[in-house]
Amino acid sequence: MKTNRVVIVQCRLSSTRLPGKALMDLGGKPVLAWVLNSMHKVQADRYFVATDEASYEQILPVCTENDFECFAGSLNDVLQRFVDLLNTIDCKTVIRATADNPFLFYEAAEESCQLFEEKNSGKEKCDYLTYSGLPHGSGVEIISADSLKKAITETDDPYDHEHVGPALYNHKEVYNCQFVPAPRRFNFPELRTTIDTYSDYIRAKAILKYLENEQNPYTTEQVLEACNQPEVINPVVLVPSVIKGHGTGHLRRCLQAAVGNNFFVYIPNDKTLDGTEKLISEYEEVGFSRAQIINQLPDETLPANYVTDCFELSEDLLLKLKNRKTLIAVDEGSNFSDSADFLLDIIPSYNLSRVANKTDSGLITKPENRKNPSAEKSILKILVCLGGEDPAGLTVPAAISISKVFPNAKITAILNSETESMPQNVWFTKPIKNLREKLYEYDVVVTHYGLTAFEAAYAGCGVVLLPTTELHKKLAEKYNFAYISDTTFSPSAIKAAFNSKNLYPELSVSSENSNLTQEIKKISKGTKLLCPVCGKVHDKPDQIVSRNEKRTYRRCQSCGIVYISYTLEEEKQYHKAYFFDDYKKQYGKTYEEDFESIKKQGIRRVEVIKSITGHIEDKNILDIGCAYGPFLSAAAEQNMNPFGTDISDEAIEYVQNELKYPAVTSAYPSINVEQEFGISQFDVVTMWYVIEHFKNLDSVLRKTCKIVKTGGIFAFSTPSGEGISAKSDKHHFYTISPSDHYSVWEPSKAASILNIYGFKIEKIVSTGHHPERFPFIKNCGAKPGSLKWKITDKISHAKKLGDTMEIYCRKIW
């Protein structure tokens, strides 16, 4: 049926941001082919690609294969290119698309074209129409062919000629141009489906990986579903070391982790590691796709999670990864480990000064084939394997020396090059494909400290390590592996190693189901946080204070506060369960059951405020995070005027209905106190164990300064980062710290932080004294009430070593 329509896809290969993008491979065919496939779903009489003469020869085969005609015209005068094409054909309506969006909403293109034709079928004449609000790069323009032919004669504006649509919509006094809000089905302006940069290209790969089992061209709903997947929004990019001398284990581990997952593996074009192609081919056979390889790192526009397995991070790589979403480092041994948001140690290193978030050799991909544990442990077959590289050249001398000690054993040695004149019982072979699943065939595996050693141990083999470096010798000793103690391979050293009690190392297994892939998925779902006071990204990373399996803590180099910089834990919701179930787990009773005890502390706090201000009667006091109101009750008994706010509906209902105090459910600092209470500034504002729960302290403290009268009091309590728990066992202190305590305050740093916001500290009260947490008491076993206990308690108070503190400050400006 004649439609009087022509589809014209605009395409050139000379893009400055991503040259040749239209012909880049995407799922086995060029990006352009995906675009043409989609646009064929739009009804038209003829389908064209309009390109420039320099690109014509390369683009023509793709056009022919996808039933598009190819027209060559001006490179820079795109408007002229289109009009020259239109002068060769007969049509009324032009449907223009660009060649850089493989996931075009073709249904939106068809609907907008129908709307354009409806408008022109009546009295209204429409020259140009497009849907606004489509994903970035999905826009399709519907243009009157006659209007475009006319417009070119009326404009000399270079911008109009560099494009097509502006010749019409930049001259609305002449042409009727309509930007119609896209129907809800297509209205997703925050999404990006175009390919304009290399980061866009990686995103497109991720979308395609998710949709690989679907029939294309993809519907709007299929594309939207893919775009909302975590692996598309925040893809995982694995960055292995491919530097000669670092071994092949790093690349092997990353390729294995990527198998069957939407992970990318970064292998630069200038890779120097021997055997890279062979390794890639090996993993392709078990499910790895070559489309998962990228040779450039995406820029900051793609919030990817980077997992480095580099042996040692370099300054150059860190510079490339600066300000990225997440940096997870595996077995990191450089001096730049502070740059990592999360450190994961799988094969433990030696004498590292830093502490990992998690150490678990059980995350190694374990061999499925394992020796029978009850089988007799004989030494008849020995494998000598130093990985894909042998920089120290120990394979040959080790195999020869071992053959002399075990003349009846069959010794297989893996070597890349041919070797002649070997003993009768030594066989040399090229690298063995899928070696992990063949290790069980050997009685003893002779290797160096690394991936193969652990795989062999999990396969049930005896393991003997070679001292390729002094470090490897120390690692063997530290982690209880048998090892040959010298590089001369003396018979006595070989016998000692093979007779060692550590020949069959015992390795801990976290879970048979655990693996690196699952761990990466879990860690990459974490949240990265900036300093809650400064909110700055510094040139050098903030100092690491503590790491544990769930969180990383840093100290801001600007303001000095300690804060959670990375967390794997979900944000807590402060509903009834928090005050009852969670509170009871921590304190043995519900918040309501503990009401009178908390109120008693409130009475003491009011007395402290009174000692600073002189009198408190009839003073207005706002308690932020008032919970079920014990402090409000304490303040009221001292003739203050209490007001409360909390984000828990249940808590505020209790305060309003049971205690009868003015209180509102509202998030701080967004609350409008004047609107809620009719008061713009208070004499006293308090936060009892609340301030540490805010991710953005800057806005909190600015708002607090605004609502406290000059000369008024701001008081809060919070755990102390300089109490006995933090001082005696810092790692334990931060590990048990609640997941929603985003900042850890220290008395020594508090004054300088509060001064920024116009507050001067009047008094710090050290609270939460626990003699039982002092190492001295733990060691001697002193009981409560004993002399040693009492002395320790006095020391704790005198030196302000309480695990919590209360800070009372005055607003000075």
Side-chain angles (χ1 to χ4, degrees):
M1 183 179 72
K2 190 76 173 175
T3 65
N4 286 318
R5 299 176 180 176
V6 61
V7 167
I8 303 179
V9 176
Q10 182 178 319
C11 179
R12 65 185 176 96
L13 299 179
S14 55
S15 167
T16 55
R17 284 185 289 270
L18 192 60
K21 60 185 177 181
L23 298 182
M24 292 177 72
D25 180 80
L26 187 63
K29 57 185 179 182
V31 170
L32 176 60
W34 291 90
V35 179
L36 303 187
N37 196 20
S38 291
M39 289 307 293
H40 252 306
K41 299 286 285 186
V42 180
Q43 293 185 48
D45 297 329
R46 297 178 73 175
Y47 299 84
F48 282 91
V49 170
T51 187
D52 60 278
E53 294 176 356
S55 304
Y56 180 81
E57 293 296 332
Q58 291 175 270
I59 286 176
L60 180 60
V62 182
C63 296
T64 303
E65 187 173 339
N66 290 277
D67 297 323
F68 264 69
E69 299 175 70
C70 192
F71 178 87
S74 172
L75 169 62
N76 297 318
D77 194 337
V78 181
L79 178 61
Q80 187 66 58
R81 188 196 311 170
F82 265 67
V83 172
D84 286 346
L85 169 56
L86 292 177
N87 286 332
T88 67
I89 59 177
D90 179 26
C91 73
K92 285 185 177 180
T93 304
V94 177
I95 306 166
R96 175 190 172 272
T98 55
D100 52 8
N101 193 336
F103 307 109
L104 276 168
F105 286 3
Y106 59 82
E107 303 103 323
E110 177 65 40
E111 284 190 19
S112 60
C113 190
Q114 291 176 8
L115 179 61
F116 177 84
E117 291 170 337
E118 286 174 12
K119 290 178 178 292
N120 279 301
S121 64
K123 295 181 180 180
E124 180 183 12
K125 180 180 183 299
C126 184
D127 300 293
Y128 172 98
L129 184 145
T130 189
Y131 276 164
S132 59
L134 294 173
H136 185 80
S138 283
V140 172
E141 297 173 307
I142 316 301
I143 303 170
S144 163
D146 290 340
S147 298
L148 199 63
K149 291 177 185 178
K150 179 185 176 189
I152 196 173
T153 66
E154 298 173 341
T155 178
D156 294 321
D157 189 318
Y159 186 82
D160 290 349
H161 280 261
E162 288 172 11
H163 303 83
V164 178
L168 298 172
Y169 61 70
N170 279 351
H171 305 278
K172 292 179 182 177
E173 71 282 359
V174 179
Y175 300 101
N176 180 7
C177 300
Q178 299 189 21
F179 293 82
V180 180
R184 182 176 298 180
R185 179 187 177 193
F186 311 119
N187 205 315
F188 295 92
E190 73 282 359
L191 294 183
R192 185 177 177 89
T193 54
T194 188
I195 297 179
D196 196 38
T197 65
Y198 194 76
S199 292
D200 291 334
Y201 177 57
I202 294 175
R203 185 185 291 106
K205 280 189 166 194
I207 293 172
L208 189 61
K209 178 71 175 174
Y210 180 80
L211 294 171
E212 61 184 350
N213 295 321
E214 303 292 341
Q215 184 71 33
N216 69 78
Y218 305 117
T219 66
T220 295
E221 286 69 31
Q222 287 173 324
V223 174
L224 290 174
E225 180 182 344
C227 287
N228 285 309
Q229 298 306 308
E231 59 264 40
V232 173
I233 299 170
N234 304 127
V236 172
V237 178
L238 306 176
V239 185
S241 172
V242 288
I243 298 174
K244 192 174 181 64
H246 284 186
T248 59
H250 306 281
L251 180 56
R252 282 177 56 201
R253 190 156 57 181
C254 288
L255 292 171
Q256 177 64 48
V259 169
N261 292 284
N262 203 351
F263 293 173
F264 293 102
V265 181
Y266 169 59
I267 303 177
N269 287 329
D270 59 350
K271 58 184 180 297
T272 57
L273 181 64
D274 295 335
T276 298
E277 283 300 317
K278 187 173 182 180
L279 268 176
I280 293 171
S281 298
E282 180 180 324
Y283 281 93
E284 276 186 297
E285 294 182 12
V286 293
F288 179 75
S289 169
R290 201 167 281 265
Q292 292 174 261
I293 296 173
I294 59 175
N295 51 43
Q296 296 179 42
L297 289 172
D299 60 26
E300 296 175 38
T301 61
L302 185 68
N305 298 292
Y306 292 88
V307 181
T308 60
D309 188 353
C310 292
F311 187 70
E312 290 184 338
L313 280 167
S314 66
E315 286 190 81
D316 180 58
L317 179 59
L318 282 174
L319 187 62
K320 293 177 181 177
L321 298 180
K322 187 177 180 182
N323 299 335
R324 297 309 201 263
K325 179 182 180 290
T326 303
L327 176 57
I328 302 162
V330 178
D331 289 338
E332 176 52 43
S334 75
N335 293 325
F336 305 115
S337 61
D338 275 11
S339 298
D341 298 299
F342 195 97
L343 286 177
L344 176 63
D345 282 350
I346 301 175
I347 300 179
S349 193
Y350 180 80
N351 200 28
L352 288 174
S353 59
R354 54 82 171 166
V355 176
N357 290 83
K358 183 173 183 177
T359 300
D360 186 357
S361 61
L363 293 174
I364 289 172
T365 302
K366 303 168 193 66
E368 293 182 9
N369 297 323
R370 306 184 191 183
K371 298 180 80 68
N372 186 341
S374 61
E376 183 180 348
K377 290 180 168 60
S378 56
I379 301 179
L380 299 176
K381 294 181 69 176
I382 300 172
L383 176 69
V384 181
C385 171
L386 294 176
E389 297 183 294
D390 181 13
L394 297 181
T395 302
V396 173
I400 294 173
S401 298
I402 293 170
S403 72
K404 293 176 182 177
V405 177
F406 296 93
N408 297 321
K410 178 182 177 181
I411 299 168
T412 302
I414 296 177
L415 202 64
N416 276 313
S417 57
E418 298 288 338
T419 302
E420 300 177 356
S421 304
M422 289 296 106
Q424 262 190 332
N425 62 333
V426 177
W427 284 262
F428 283 93
T429 182
K430 293 284 188 180
I432 299 173
K433 186 177 178 180
N434 197 17
L435 175 63
R436 180 179 62 248
E437 297 304 331
K438 297 175 182 177
L439 292 171
Y440 79 105
E441 299 173 0
Y442 301 91
D443 299 314
V444 177
V445 175
V446 180
T447 183
H448 57 63
Y449 183 86
L451 194 58
T452 300
F454 282 83
E455 290 174 342
Y458 281 121
C461 305
V463 181
V464 173
L465 301 188
L466 299 184
T468 53
T469 66
E470 185 63 26
L471 173 61
H472 281 80
K473 179 179 177 180
K474 292 178 179 178
L475 286 164
E477 290 175 339
K478 181 173 181 179
Y479 297 106
N480 300 316
F481 280 95
Y483 67 94
I484 297 174
S485 59
D486 61 64
T487 53
T488 63
F489 304 115
S490 64
S492 60
I494 293 172
K495 290 177 182 177
F498 277 75
N499 291 325
S500 169
K501 64 178 182 180
N502 296 325
L503 182 62
Y504 298 94
E506 295 183 7
L507 302 178
S508 62
V509 179
S510 55
S511 168
E512 282 294 325
N513 297 321
S514 66
N515 59 62
L516 180 58
T517 299
Q518 296 303 320
E519 197 68 22
I520 288 172
K521 286 181 177 179
K522 181 177 73 175
I523 298 171
S524 64
K525 291 178 182 177
T527 302
K528 187 173 183 175
L529 302 168
L530 298 177
C531 169
V533 176
C534 304
K536 291 180 180 178
V537 177
H538 299 100
D539 290 336
K540 291 185 178 180
D542 286 340
Q543 174 193 352
I544 294 292
V545 173
S546 182
R547 294 183 183 272
N548 60 58
E549 288 194 18
K550 298 288 187 179
R551 301 181 292 278
T552 298
Y553 290 86
R554 296 181 185 271
R555 183 185 300 281
C556 177
Q557 56 195 273
S558 294
C559 70
I561 201 166
V562 175
Y563 65 98
I564 295 178
S565 64
Y566 196 71
T567 177
L568 303 186
E569 297 176 284
E570 293 183 3
E571 193 167 346
K572 282 190 177 178
Q573 301 298 315
Y574 301 104
H575 298 310
K576 190 173 183 179
Y578 177 82
F579 295 104
F580 285 79
D581 300 339
D582 292 358
Y583 190 91
K584 190 170 184 176
K585 287 177 185 177
Q586 188 169 357
Y587 299 106
K589 58 182 77 173
T590 67
Y591 193 94
E592 195 172 20
E593 291 169 344
D594 207 19
F595 188 94
E596 289 302 321
S597 176
I598 301 171
K599 179 180 175 181
K600 185 178 179 181
Q601 291 295 324
I603 293 172
R604 179 186 56 78
R605 290 167 180 160
V606 172
E607 289 296 329
V608 176
I609 294 171
K610 184 177 180 180
S611 71
I612 296 171
T613 62
H615 67 281
I616 57 174
E617 292 78 8
D618 295 324
K619 297 290 186 181
N620 293 327
I621 183 169
L622 172 64
D623 189 26
I624 297 163
C626 65
Y628 283 72
F631 181 74
L632 296 177
S633 182
E637 286 189 6
Q638 299 295 313
N639 298 315
M640 298 188 78
N641 302 320
F643 299 85
T645 178
D646 201 283
I647 61 174
S648 168
D649 290 324
E650 294 92 344
I652 291 302
E653 284 177 13
Y654 183 88
V655 173
Q656 292 173 338
N657 300 329
E658 299 297 326
L659 302 183
K660 310 298 183 183
Y661 301 137
V664 294
T665 303
S666 181
Y668 195 80
S670 59
I671 183 175
N672 185 327
V673 292
E674 187 165 15
Q675 181 177 310
E676 297 289 356
F677 302 118
I679 300 171
S680 60
Q681 288 189 313
F682 293 82
D683 300 290
V684 181
V685 172
T686 59
M687 298 179 194
W688 306 115
Y689 297 110
V690 170
I691 199 166
E692 64 273 10
H693 293 272
F694 291 110
K695 291 181 181 178
N696 187 337
L697 279 175
D698 179 63
S699 61
V700 167
L701 292 171
R702 288 186 187 280
K703 178 60 173 272
T704 305
C705 178
K706 183 178 179 181
I707 65 173
V708 175
K709 292 180 180 179
T710 301
I713 298 297
F714 169 44
F716 64 93
S717 60
T718 187
S720 171
E722 292 174 341
I724 188 59
S725 293
K727 284 183 176 293
S728 62
D729 192 341
K730 181 178 71 174
H731 179 69
H732 180 69
F733 171 80
Y734 284 102
T735 300
I736 67 169
S737 179
S739 62
D740 56 344
H741 287 196
Y742 296 104
S743 59
V744 179
W745 288 72
E746 298 164 314
S748 63
K749 303 289 193 306
S752 59
I753 295 171
L754 291 166
N755 185 254
I756 297 171
Y757 300 94
F759 295 108
K760 177 185 177 183
I761 292 179
E762 296 285 347
K763 190 171 188 176
I764 296 180
V765 179
S766 180
T767 55
H769 294 276
H770 295 277
E772 73 276 11
R773 297 177 185 175
F774 279 71
F776 171 73
I777 295 295
K778 289 180 181 178
N779 294 334
C780 73
K783 301 298 181 183
S786 66
L787 180 61
K788 290 180 180 179
W789 185 283
K790 291 177 180 179
I791 292 173
T792 304
D793 188 53
K794 285 185 177 182
I795 292 172
S796 182
H797 280 80
K799 294 191 175 182
K800 297 183 178 180
L801 294 175
D803 281 337
T804 54
M805 62 177 173
E806 296 166 3
I807 297 180
Y808 301 83
C809 48
R810 190 186 300 275
K811 178 179 172 182
I812 56 176
W813 52 263

